[in-house]
Amino acid sequence: MEIKIQRTENPKEKPDESNLVFGRIFTDHMFIMDYEEGKGWYDPRIVPYGMLEVPPSMSVLHYGQAVFEGMKAYKGPDGRILLFRPDENMKRLNRSNERICIPEIDEEFCLEAIKELVNLDREWVPGAEGTSLYIRPFIIATDPALGLKPSSSYKFIVILSPVGAYYPQGINPVNIYVETEYIRAIPGGTGYAKTSGNYAASMKAQAEALEKGFIQVLWTIGERPMVQEVGSMNVFFKIDGEVITPELDGSILPGITRDSVIRLLKSWDVPVVERRIYLDEIFEAAEEGKLEESFGTGTAAVISPIGSLNWEGREITINNGKMGELSAKIYDELTGIQTGKKPDPFGWIVEV
Ligand SMILES: *Cc1c(COP(=O)(O)O)cnc(C)c1O
């Protein structure tokens, strides 16, 4: 398929790089492609960023049949534009699609489309320390009908947003509320898919934690609470020299940062295991002085150290509320690879 390109006639003014708020400003162009049953995906095109005109009956507005991805383009020291493991985002998009009954996309073609879009808007990739161009591919169900069934038409869209440094004031560990009432994802549910409904379902817990003075929640499940994720990040604990993260049991979002951290640790010969991990183990380890570090992982923050955990009033502080040594080493290595400042021994970088 050939991608048609319609360039904007009114390029927007670029924002101040030192003052970017996440996800508010979008570049000059977007990518769109349509799907119809019997016809497949068709009409791939890059057009000026602008409004979508949609019918109020459009199925995604009612039943939430929608999936998305989140990835970043970084400006390398030599001005090259770099993507981090973007093929993994395309694979995950198809795994999300499968769960939500959205037709499969051609992963290679969609990655080429993303590269072409980023290349067209390459002047929008900010260069200041810690900044990047956030890439948001998403798919929505577009049937103009209220019948409760998988839609027979869809749109695949990619929009781009320049984002500022996640840590403009340096990395500060966050205080976390352990959530045992609201549940993010259950076995057999949609936890492993990046589907919109998961995020709608998570907002109440997040809002209540904020009200109590915490930045994020630690998601758990079960009578004996088992740890799942932290906010919308995967979670790691370093206990007595060993790094532990919850195994991918269908309720955990398989983060690409999570996978990269596991691979990095293995390459450094740091013991790392994926298994079930219970809250009581973590609190016990903390009391015995064995809980050394804990952090969340995700594309937005890369590494977000956890300073304390509050479980029904019991509070533990991790590493005196400071970022741990291993957390810092992982952060430096990953961001170094992503921005082209460090060698890429794993072949993770794809140039636009
Ligand atoms: C996107 C996401 C992550 C992190 O995935 P990355 O690929 O590392 O960005 C973790 N948990 C949830 C719930 C997510 O939506």
Side-chain angles (χ1 to χ4, degrees):
M1 276 192 295
E2 201 195 319
I3 301 173
K4 272 185 282 166
I5 299 180
Q6 183 200 339
R7 283 169 185 269
T8 182
E9 284 169 9
N10 305 299
K12 293 180 268 195
E13 206 178 307
K14 310 273 187 309
D16 172 8
E17 280 189 16
S18 62
N19 206 3
L20 293 165
V21 181
F22 179 80
R24 298 262 182 91
I25 292 171
F26 298 92
T27 64
D28 283 325
H29 299 92
M30 60 183 177
F31 174 82
I32 306 187
M33 176 167 72
D34 298 298
Y35 179 92
E36 252 173 56
E37 214 164 79
K39 195 168 172 184
W41 289 103
Y42 67 97
D43 197 15
R45 57 205 186 271
I46 291 173
V47 294
Y49 180 92
M51 298 292 172
L52 301 174
E53 199 181 330
V54 301
S57 59
M58 184 165 76
S59 53
V60 69
L61 300 178
H62 303 273
Y63 308 125
Q65 209 191 353
V67 294
F68 67 94
E69 270 303 324
M71 49 211 279
K72 282 175 168 179
Y74 304 86
K75 189 174 271 178
D78 42 10
R80 292 186 306 150
I81 309 291
L82 309 173
L83 303 175
F84 182 70
R85 308 186 73 185
D87 43 314
E88 293 295 324
N89 292 91
M90 296 300 102
K91 276 191 216 159
R92 184 169 66 191
L93 188 55
N94 262 340
R95 290 198 302 267
S96 300
N97 283 340
E98 197 275 332
R99 180 65 182 82
I100 308 297
C101 294
I102 293 176
E104 190 176 63
I105 53 146
D106 178 333
E107 294 166 19
E108 264 173 52
F109 176 77
C110 288
L111 180 51
E112 283 311 308
I114 288 171
K115 285 189 193 168
E116 192 149 344
L117 176 66
V118 172
N119 192 36
L120 185 64
D121 280 345
R122 64 188 294 135
E123 299 296 316
W124 284 85
V125 183
E129 176 78 25
T131 63
S132 59
L133 185 71
Y134 186 78
I135 304 170
R136 169 54 61 86
F138 62 105
I139 303 176
I140 51 173
T142 55
D143 274 2
L146 296 181
L148 180 51
K149 62 174 179 53
S151 179
S152 58
S153 59
Y154 297 87
K155 276 189 194 300
F156 173 95
I157 305 177
V158 185
I159 56 177
L160 308 175
S161 174
V163 296
Y166 196 86
Y167 295 112
Q169 267 100 36
I171 306 185
N172 280 315
V174 290
N175 301 330
I176 300 294
Y177 180 77
V178 176
E179 182 59 66
T180 49
E181 184 188 352
Y182 302 115
I183 292 176
R184 191 193 87 89
I186 54 164
T190 56
Y192 70 87
K194 244 175 150 65
T195 180
S196 306
N198 287 343
Y199 304 86
S202 74
M203 287 179 189
K204 191 166 162 65
Q206 171 69 38
E208 289 185 9
L210 262 182
E211 252 171 50
K212 294 182 190 120
F214 299 92
I215 294 292
Q216 288 287 353
V217 301
L218 183 75
W219 296 105
T220 66
I221 188 169
E223 289 278 303
R224 181 185 177 199
M226 199 162 79
V227 173
Q228 295 181 313
E229 300 201 45
V230 60
S232 51
M233 287 185 281
N234 295 111
V235 68
F236 287 76
F237 300 92
K238 180 166 176 257
I239 298 178
D240 208 10
E242 183 182 61
V243 179
I244 309 167
T245 190
E247 65 188 4
L248 300 177
D249 64 355
S251 69
I252 309 280
L253 197 291
I256 295 160
T257 320
R258 174 189 180 278
D259 183 72
S260 308
V261 167
I262 292 171
R263 280 167 201 254
L264 262 190
L265 291 174
K266 285 186 175 161
S267 78
W268 292 340
D269 290 324
V270 174
V272 50
V273 289
E274 300 170 66
R275 65 163 171 89
R276 291 180 167 207
I277 176 159
Y278 295 94
L279 206 50
D280 53 36
E281 289 181 62
I282 293 164
F283 274 66
E284 208 170 292
E287 273 149 26
E288 291 168 357
K290 290 181 181 163
L291 176 58
E292 295 158 0
E293 302 185 30
S294 177
F295 55 88
T297 67
T299 296
V302 185
I303 298 290
S304 174
I306 296 175
S308 71
L309 291 173
N310 187 302
W311 177 19
E312 287 164 358
R314 274 169 82 189
E315 181 142 306
I316 54 175
T317 301
I318 302 168
N319 196 40
N320 295 317
K322 299 209 180 66
M323 186 177 198
E325 214 174 287
L326 185 63
S327 313
K329 187 175 170 195
I330 296 169
Y331 180 82
D332 287 345
E333 188 68 21
L334 273 184
T335 54
I337 295 173
Q338 287 168 337
T339 55
K341 289 178 191 137
K342 288 201 173 201
D344 171 28
F346 301 93
W348 284 339
I349 294 302
V350 172
E351 191 176 342
V352 165

